[in-house]
């Protein structure tokens, strides 16, 4: 099995879900901002954030900024 190795509680939770011992958390609506620009010298640039190393989920990962959708956004 390939992919990204998951360690600690996150890895245990993922293995439990895959084995049918735990239910995954239902998906929720979310928003993501993706900013791109073309630089004639360097090509396409992408705006990413690095998550803090102290975060419980995806610590240190490079991610697009985003968050939960506010109920007021539905209209």
């Amino acid at each position: 099995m390939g992919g990204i190795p998951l360690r600690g509680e996150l890895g245990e939770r993922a293995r439990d879900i895959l084995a049918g011992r735990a239910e995954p958390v239902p998906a929720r609506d979310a928003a993501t901002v993706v900013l791109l620009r073309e630089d004639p010298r360097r090509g396409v640039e992408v705006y990413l954030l690095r998550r803090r190393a102290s975060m419980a989920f995806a610590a240190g990962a490079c991610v697009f900024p985003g968050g939960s959708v506010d109920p007021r956004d539905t209209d």
Side-chain angles (χ1 to χ4, degrees):
M1 184 190 284
I4 299 170
L6 298 175
R7 293 177 179 85
E9 290 180 35
L10 182 60
E12 290 174 29
R13 172 93 174 129
R15 285 186 285 280
D16 285 345
I17 290 170
L18 289 172
R21 295 186 296 263
E23 289 291 318
V25 175
R28 66 174 194 214
D29 289 337
T32 298
V33 176
V34 178
L35 298 175
L36 302 170
R37 73 177 175 190
E38 192 166 353
D39 182 300
R41 296 164 296 163
R42 297 190 300 199
V44 176
E45 295 179 323
V46 180
Y47 178 68
L48 295 171
L49 298 175
R50 184 175 301 275
R51 292 177 58 91
R52 296 181 66 91
S54 60
M55 297 184 91
F57 175 74
C62 290
V63 298
F64 295 113
S68 298
V69 173
D70 189 290
R72 297 173 291 182
D73 294 334
T74 58
D75 49 321

